[in-house]
Amino acid sequence: MSNTSENPNPSSSSAKMTLKTSDNELFEVEEAVAMKFCTVKQYFEDEKDSDVAARGSTTVIPLPNVHSAVLTMLISYGKKLPQSNAVADNHEEEETKKKERKKYEQGLLKNLMPGELLDLISAANYLDFKEGLEFFNQALADHIQNKSVEYVRKFFGIKNDYEPHEEEKYREEYAWAFEGIECWLIGELKQFMAKTKTLDIAGTLLGIKPALIVASFSVRGLNSLDSNILKPEMIAPGENILAAWINAIGPTGLDSNT
Amino acid sequence: MLRCKSLLSQTINKKRKKNKSKNKNKNSNTRVSKKQNYEEEEDCEEGFNLKTSAAPSHTHGVQPLGNLYINPGSINSRNTGLGNLQTLTDELVLDILGLLGGTHLGVLATVSKSFYVFTNHEPLWRNLVLENLNAGFLYNGSWKSTFVAACYPSFDVSSVGVSGLRVSDFYSDYLFQSWLCANLEMKPEWLQRDNIIRRKGISVEDFVLNFEEPNKPVLLEGCLDNWVALQNWDRDYLLRLCGDVQFAVGPVDMKLQEYFRYSDQVREERPLYLFDPKFAEKVPKLGSEYEVPAYFREDLFGVLGNERPDYRWIIMGPAGSGSSFHIDPNSTSAWNAVIRGSKKWILFPPDVVPPGVHPSPDGAEVACPVSIIEWFMNFYGATKNWEKKPIECICKAGEVIFVPNGWWHLVINLEESIAITQNFVSRRNLLNVLDFLKRPNANALVSGTRDRVNLHDKFKNAIETSFPGTIDQLVQKAEEKKAQQKQSFWDSVTDSKVGAFKFSF
């Protein structure tokens, strides 16, 4: 007979569990989130069966391999995931949540140091947090994908243990891979170059302050016909102009026009 | 370089002492995919024998982790070469590498010697080939070589993968075990036990009464004597007949000649297995050169016609290929006839879960060692001391084994083998099958058909149409049987009550 009065109903979302990290910090976590850590889930289920469960919801689950800083991040990631016991959202709500999560993920990864990422992976593995592990593994893979050998060495803090002649030999053996990376780089470059530029025509703008500076090569001085008029009578941007025309042949018929 | 035999004996002896202090990270369960449970062997004294064509030690000189402890003061070059990635387990490192493309995996090999060893792990390249090259590939000695040859045809492949890189002081259990399982010979003692009942020329009634009804396995001899296949089917014949037909090989399709090319060259933990459920449709001649043995002719799924789930397969594979522990789907029974080669079978009754195997509570997933050899290495010994041993045998060419429904079984080819297997439903297990199909998680458990959820209703209706009243008859019989058993229970209770009453009075 279990003491149901002390044990919170597992399906209620307000139930909380206490997790204790390696640096003795206590975290109160909603059960729905904590259950995503399968190690915790297993512990909780084992506790439920034994008489120790009678102690009630004050049981503290020890996580000696996880530091508080890491657990904080894992918990906040876990909260952003769709909850298994949540009421089913309609399509729109789902989409919004997905976008929010993507934004959160990007923000999370931007400021992460390599050491922190590895800690997160280790911890997610220890906690058996499948979604977290998948996400952080992919983040690490994405980060080193298509980077140079030197970058990878620096990123992981690896000292090259190849002798120079060995390194040459193996670079040759893997020449196909390096070629592949070069091809990929060239492909990316080409794509970049081929990108079209669009003009955003804003129309006539008045009251722009400060006024633009006239180019040094533009004519200044008095109008030869009427000295009351100062040059330049009409002005337009004279440097870095991107010109466009609609027909295949430009107005002068030349290859380039200014 | 120490010979493998002595390496392992030393490792195991040292591990005995070190196991208490070694930090085991929740190693109690095997995961569905790669995680291994490296337990101790009781009979470690003999060491292991490698296949005759194998090299005497790991290609790159990887040693098991235990050896690190016998080398005082030595540093694990695995760790120094990984930098701060060393805190992750081997499995995690390989998981991450598995997310990268082939090109980048190649580049990473030149980062450090440790990375070289990790990125050369063949299963990584195997996944890349199977996922990306399903248009067809020619196996080229190794999966890495195959990938490079297919993606970079202008590159001279002969220089790939035959590198002489040998690392010193690189210790990793996972990588070593992976190599070991790929190169291990089956130990003779694993093949010794042969306790299955063998019968020759029995009647169908005899079979049904003594084996099908009580759900017991049996090895039947002499029922393939009239099979044309037994005479004709060898490699040359099959190549001439259907060498360029695509057959289902695991997750991909391959032409038969390409498959043979692969199976001749391969040496890995879990070789790909040719297992095709539509072979008779693809090559009708194959279907005509064998016939279902008399004992198994009643096959009620036949009422579904073309909508029946997959039921017959041709199986071909090199030595070391096979199936790890599983129960056949849909609660069907099966027969397996060896036409060429030989297979080692191990069977456990439905209520006995084999050691090292962990089915999920709903039965949809089973966690077990990656390769069959690994199961033998780590778990076969556990059955030595059991009172009720598993049923084992070696099935040779011309023999047929009957696998009753619900029995766990494992099969490993001892040499290149060709076989035919069929699953069937007879009146004896019809009710079981209907129950199975009715289960709420049918869409995860039912297999061999695209119409998983509706199969139960379809099947039941089809049976009622073709064999009206059968189901009711069987249900009645089953209930009678149950009632009989119940009666005897109450009888015994009443007796004892009387006795107690007398006594207390």
Side-chain angles (χ1 to χ4, degrees):
Chain A
M1 281 275 243
S2 60
N3 279 326
T4 40
S5 51
E6 266 124 313
N7 269 333
N9 183 359
S11 57
S12 89
S13 55
S14 58
K16 288 201 190 273
M17 306 178 72
T18 318
L19 308 175
K20 184 162 121 170
T21 60
S22 59
D23 47 335
N24 287 325
E25 269 207 43
L26 293 172
F27 282 78
E28 263 208 4
V29 188
E30 274 153 28
E31 198 161 306
V33 176
M35 285 306 174
K36 290 197 183 285
F37 306 155
C38 294
T39 311
V40 172
K41 186 172 171 194
Q42 189 67 47
Y43 188 101
F44 180 76
E45 283 173 1
D46 288 345
E47 285 269 289
K48 258 205 302 199
D49 295 336
S50 75
D51 289 332
V52 180
R55 270 204 256 126
S57 56
T58 51
T59 313
V60 174
I61 297 176
L63 301 174
N65 283 5
V66 186
H67 191 271
S68 53
V70 176
L71 190 61
T72 318
M73 282 197 262
L74 288 177
I75 290 173
S76 56
Y77 184 74
K79 283 193 180 145
K80 289 277 190 279
L81 293 171
Q83 306 299 328
S84 46
N85 61 347
V87 175
D89 300 319
N90 65 30
H91 185 70
E92 256 187 61
E93 282 175 9
E94 243 187 75
E95 288 296 304
T96 341
K97 280 198 179 164
K98 258 195 200 163
K99 281 197 188 143
E100 258 183 47
R101 194 164 104 223
K102 269 229 134 84
K103 227 174 145 191
Y104 171 78
E105 286 174 356
Q106 281 170 356
L108 183 66
L109 295 178
K110 235 192 336 180
N111 301 319
L112 224 47
M113 301 288 290
E116 291 177 312
L117 186 53
L118 291 171
D119 286 338
L120 283 165
I121 293 176
S122 277
N125 186 42
Y126 171 75
L127 292 171
D128 199 3
F129 178 17
K130 291 191 179 52
E131 296 100 329
L133 190 59
E134 227 180 85
F135 173 69
F136 291 116
N137 275 351
Q138 187 65 55
L140 185 60
D142 288 341
H143 197 80
I144 56 176
Q145 177 101 274
N146 292 322
K147 294 286 202 312
S148 71
V149 171
E150 287 71 25
Y151 179 91
V152 174
R153 282 184 188 146
K154 209 167 152 206
F155 187 79
F156 290 121
I158 298 172
K159 189 166 165 245
N160 182 10
D161 55 358
Y162 280 118
E163 300 293 314
H165 69 275
E166 285 178 326
E167 187 158 0
E168 212 187 289
K169 176 178 171 199
Y170 295 116
R171 287 241 175 178
E172 249 185 65
E173 187 183 311
Y174 285 96
W176 54 270
F178 286 93
E179 245 176 61
I181 293 289
E182 273 172 29
C183 289
W184 173 84
L185 278 174
I186 292 174
E188 291 284 291
L189 204 58
K190 280 190 176 155
Q191 265 189 41
F192 180 78
M193 301 286 274
K195 277 196 167 77
T196 47
K197 308 224 189 298
T198 44
L199 291 172
D200 202 3
I201 306 209
T204 307
L205 300 171
L206 297 172
I208 306 287
K209 285 191 172 125
L212 300 172
I213 300 174
V214 175
S216 59
F217 51 78
S218 284
V219 172
R220 288 165 169 81
L222 303 171
N223 185 308
S224 55
L225 294 174
D226 183 346
S227 53
N228 288 319
I229 302 172
L230 285 176
K231 283 191 176 294
E233 297 93 335
M234 196 166 84
I235 195 161
E239 298 182 76
N240 300 330
I241 298 173
L242 188 69
W245 51 83
I246 50 173
N247 293 319
I249 307 171
T252 62
L254 296 172
D255 282 338
S256 69
N257 288 273
T258 46
Chain B
M1 183 55 83
L2 292 171
R3 286 213 69 233
C4 191
K5 198 164 172 172
S6 48
L7 263 180
L8 264 160
S9 330
Q10 287 187 28
T11 311
I12 288 160
N13 283 329
K14 281 292 165 178
K15 260 201 168 237
R16 276 226 171 97
K17 295 174 199 163
K18 284 290 171 182
N19 251 337
K20 294 177 222 153
S21 50
K22 196 170 171 197
N23 186 19
K24 274 203 167 161
N25 182 12
K26 58 171 182 82
N27 246 342
S28 51
N29 288 322
T30 39
R31 286 199 196 167
V32 176
S33 55
K34 290 190 208 170
K35 203 146 187 211
Q36 305 183 3
N37 201 347
Y38 195 56
E39 289 185 352
E40 298 163 338
E41 280 239 47
E42 257 67 59
D43 55 338
C44 60
E45 297 85 68
E46 301 95 42
F48 295 94
N49 284 323
L50 298 176
K51 292 187 178 148
T52 40
S53 46
S57 58
H58 188 284
T59 330
H60 304 297
V62 172
Q63 300 177 59
L65 198 50
N67 283 33
L68 178 59
Y69 303 117
I70 13 175
N71 261 339
S74 121
I75 305 172
N76 193 347
S77 66
R78 168 212 188 263
N79 292 339
T80 49
L82 286 179
N84 48 20
L85 201 53
Q86 65 182 268
T87 51
L88 300 186
T89 60
D90 292 332
E91 290 94 324
L92 279 177
V93 174
L94 289 169
D95 279 346
I96 294 168
L97 292 178
L99 298 169
L100 298 172
T103 331
H104 200 69
L105 216 52
V107 168
L108 279 181
T110 60
V111 167
S112 70
K113 292 188 182 174
S114 193
F115 263 92
Y116 184 96
V117 176
F118 272 99
T119 55
N120 265 294
H121 189 59
E122 275 280 277
L124 289 172
W125 296 98
R126 169 166 145 160
N127 285 339
L128 285 172
V129 172
L130 294 180
E131 283 169 21
N132 299 317
L133 299 179
N134 41 22
F137 56 88
L138 279 178
Y139 191 74
N140 212 337
S142 74
W143 287 108
K144 187 173 100 181
S145 206
T146 309
F147 182 88
V148 178
C151 297
Y152 300 95
S154 54
F155 187 75
D156 177 15
V157 187
S158 55
S159 65
V160 171
V162 203
S163 93
L165 176 70
R166 292 189 72 79
V167 278
S168 54
D169 294 323
F170 187 108
Y171 305 94
S172 157
D173 271 343
Y174 187 96
L175 295 178
F176 180 79
Q177 176 119 335
S178 185
W179 169 84
L180 184 65
C181 289
N183 287 283
L184 203 58
E185 282 249 298
M186 287 287 284
K187 276 175 140 185
E189 66 204 53
W190 298 339
L191 305 175
Q192 251 169 26
R193 211 186 281 153
D194 192 321
N195 54 6
I196 198 172
I197 303 177
R198 285 166 186 266
R199 289 281 181 270
K200 184 168 182 171
I202 57 172
S203 65
V204 179
E205 291 78 24
D206 194 351
F207 166 73
V208 170
L209 193 62
N210 294 321
F211 298 103
E212 204 188 358
E213 280 259 23
N215 222 34
K216 287 211 302 228
V218 63
L219 193 133
L220 301 159
E221 298 166 345
C223 24
L224 310 185
D225 291 343
N226 56 345
W227 279 24
V228 178
L230 208 57
Q231 266 74 337
N232 290 359
W233 290 14
D234 61 17
R235 223 197 233 206
D236 293 325
Y237 176 81
L238 291 171
L239 280 172
R240 269 178 290 139
L241 179 62
C242 47
D244 56 357
V245 174
Q246 301 264 13
F247 286 95
V249 179
V252 293
D253 280 344
M254 285 174 87
K255 290 195 186 150
L256 190 62
Q257 63 209 27
E258 286 167 10
Y259 180 72
F260 281 139
R261 182 187 160 129
Y262 159 80
S263 64
D264 281 341
Q265 299 176 42
V266 72
R267 186 173 308 125
E268 53 182 350
E269 244 192 301
R270 213 168 178 177
L272 290 175
Y273 211 3
L274 191 154
F275 214 98
D276 194 312
K278 300 280 181 241
F279 72 99
E281 287 84 338
K282 291 179 183 173
V283 188
K285 192 144 202 282
L286 291 177
S288 72
E289 295 194 339
Y290 85 97
E291 57 181 21
V292 180
Y295 312 104
F296 314 118
R297 297 254 167 92
E298 187 181 23
D299 186 8
L300 295 174
F301 259 144
V303 301
L304 289 171
N306 284 335
E307 297 187 351
R308 68 174 300 174
D310 293 337
Y311 69 105
R312 59 181 173 181
W313 292 262
I314 190 171
I315 317 175
M316 293 193 232
S321 60
S323 304
S324 50
F325 274 110
H326 64 282
I327 298 181
D328 277 354
N330 305 343
S331 197
T332 49
S333 304
W335 58 266
N336 184 309
V338 177
I339 297 172
R340 284 280 176 274
S342 54
K343 293 173 187 287
K344 164 80 182 173
W345 284 80
I346 303 195
L347 300 112
F348 284 86
D351 48 348
V352 178
V353 178
V357 176
H358 306 273
S360 62
D362 63 0
E365 273 182 12
V366 177
C368 61
V370 175
S371 64
I372 305 167
I373 283 272
E374 195 200 328
W375 184 86
F376 274 100
M377 270 174 61
N378 294 333
F379 298 106
Y380 181 76
T383 64
K384 250 192 193 171
N385 303 321
W386 290 11
E387 257 185 54
K388 278 193 170 168
K389 309 242 191 304
I391 305 275
E392 299 184 42
C393 68
I394 297 183
C395 192
K396 300 207 217 15
E399 300 178 340
V400 180
I401 183 170
F402 166 65
V403 184
N405 72 62
W407 279 62
W408 290 97
H409 50 286
L410 170 147
V411 196
I412 182 169
N413 287 325
L414 300 174
E415 50 184 305
E416 178 170 302
S417 303
I418 302 175
I420 295 224
T421 185
Q422 287 199 200
N423 281 62
F424 64 98
V425 183
S426 70
R427 257 173 271 247
R428 267 70 60 193
N429 63 339
L430 176 59
L431 294 181
N432 285 340
V433 174
L434 285 170
D435 273 342
F436 185 93
L437 295 177
K438 243 198 301 191
R439 285 199 206 169
N441 50 351
N443 63 342
L445 294 175
V446 175
S447 97
T449 172
R450 291 209 191 110
D451 192 7
R452 293 172 178 182
V453 181
N454 298 322
L455 190 58
H456 170 266
D457 294 335
K458 256 201 221 160
F459 184 45
K460 190 159 186 200
N461 295 336
I463 293 273
E464 279 302 330
T465 324
S466 312
F467 303 103
T470 314
I471 299 183
D472 295 329
Q473 261 180 31
L474 291 171
V475 172
Q476 219 189 6
K477 244 210 236 164
E479 286 183 354
E480 281 171 13
K481 218 178 177 190
K482 247 203 223 167
Q484 263 183 7
Q485 288 178 341
K486 246 191 176 165
Q487 231 176 28
S488 54
F489 171 73
W490 283 113
D491 280 343
S492 64
V493 169
T494 331
D495 276 342
S496 66
K497 238 184 165 174
V498 167
F501 185 70
K502 265 191 185 162
F503 179 79
S504 63
F505 190 69

